[in-house]
Amino acid sequence: MGKTKPLGLLAVAALGYLAERPMHPYEMYQLALHRQEDRVVKVSPGSLYRAVYGLEADGLVLASGTDREGARPERTTFEITDLGRHLLGERLRELLSTPTNEYPELGLALSEAHELGAEEVRMLLETRILRQQAELADLDRRMTWALERGIPRVYWINVPYSAAMLRAEITHLESLLAEIADGALAWHVPGTRAPLHEQAATPPVSAQPTPST
């Protein structure tokens, strides 16, 4: 049967794994970690099992067998159905072509950062950048590892995307820190009201992208 709502991101990931080959949910979880996809979708063994059973209830995957390894519990292997493959393709086309507001937490934090002192914000952002630089170094090591082992890039193009997003954010925050340091960014005094002209201002209407035909 068809679905009445778009596939969630974890469902997309699960269907994507099963589109490659039948596997059990824990194997899918290990594959997600191996490909660094836990950076782009919130995943745990439990959430992945629930997602797969939900897909099974909707007719998008089906149980195709069981196996047991040593003393471990029996595991059910799943495979994707024709309907699952069709809806996966539809959802991927939508996600690739249509930008959406992902409501990043940092964006909100920056918009309200004026409620803290400039020096404290500077220290907090410097701490964030140090953590991001360590994260970026780890991503670079993983990309080198994959290249050295000849793993086809098509299976981990999400990793350089994550690295590019990190680099862009670091660059922006470093520029912001420079503005705070040299006074180019006039800082709001915490606890005071916004200027009257700011309270009354009406921002321009955002332009909506026109879908290509």
Side-chain angles (χ1 to χ4, degrees):
M1 63 180 180
K3 289 182 72 68
T4 58
K5 61 181 180 180
L7 292 169
L9 297 183
L10 188 54
V12 169
L15 287 174
Y17 304 143
L18 294 179
E20 296 179 29
R21 67 178 187 276
M23 60 183 83
H24 54 73
Y26 190 73
E27 183 182 3
M28 296 159 64
Y29 174 68
Q30 292 296 319
L31 185 59
L33 298 184
H34 180 72
R35 294 181 179 176
Q36 296 287 292
E37 291 185 10
D38 56 318
R39 294 182 53 84
V40 292
V41 62
K42 190 173 183 179
V43 60
S44 68
S47 65
L48 196 45
Y49 272 93
R50 289 190 294 273
V52 170
Y53 288 127
L55 292 170
E56 182 185 28
D58 289 328
L60 307 189
V61 305
L62 57 84
S64 59
T66 58
D67 64 78
R68 184 188 299 274
E69 185 176 329
R72 293 179 177 178
E74 191 174 71
R75 289 173 172 170
T76 301
T77 298
F78 292 87
E79 64 182 52
I80 193 169
T81 65
D82 289 341
L83 176 60
R85 196 177 297 275
H86 171 72
L87 292 181
L88 171 63
E90 282 193 342
R91 185 67 168 130
L92 286 174
R93 292 182 184 96
E94 178 185 10
L95 291 171
L96 288 169
S97 65
T98 308
T100 59
N101 187 345
E102 298 175 357
Y103 302 101
E105 293 178 353
L106 177 61
L108 175 62
L110 288 174
S111 71
E112 300 300 335
H114 56 265
E115 296 301 334
L116 303 175
E119 180 62 17
E120 183 179 7
V121 170
R122 182 189 65 78
M123 293 175 62
L124 292 170
L125 291 180
E126 286 178 346
T127 298
R128 182 186 185 94
I129 288 173
L130 287 174
R131 291 170 174 167
Q132 288 178 314
Q133 288 171 336
E135 193 175 355
L136 185 57
D138 181 62
L139 288 177
D140 287 338
R141 284 192 295 270
R142 290 177 181 273
M143 286 189 284
T144 299
W145 179 89
L147 285 171
E148 290 175 346
R149 284 155 182 78
I151 299 174
R153 287 187 60 223
V154 70
Y155 292 111
W156 49 275
I157 55 176
N158 60 297
V159 182
Y161 167 79
S162 295
M165 294 299 100
L166 266 178
R167 286 192 175 93
E169 186 174 307
I170 290 171
T171 298
H172 175 75
L173 293 180
E174 287 176 337
S175 175
L176 182 59
L177 285 174
E179 289 189 81
I180 294 174
D182 64 18
L185 178 60
W187 203 255
H188 171 81
V189 178
T192 61
R193 291 188 176 187
L196 291 178
H197 69 274
E198 167 67 17
Q199 295 178 24
T202 301
V205 177
S206 299
Q208 298 299 318
T210 302
S212 58
T213 56

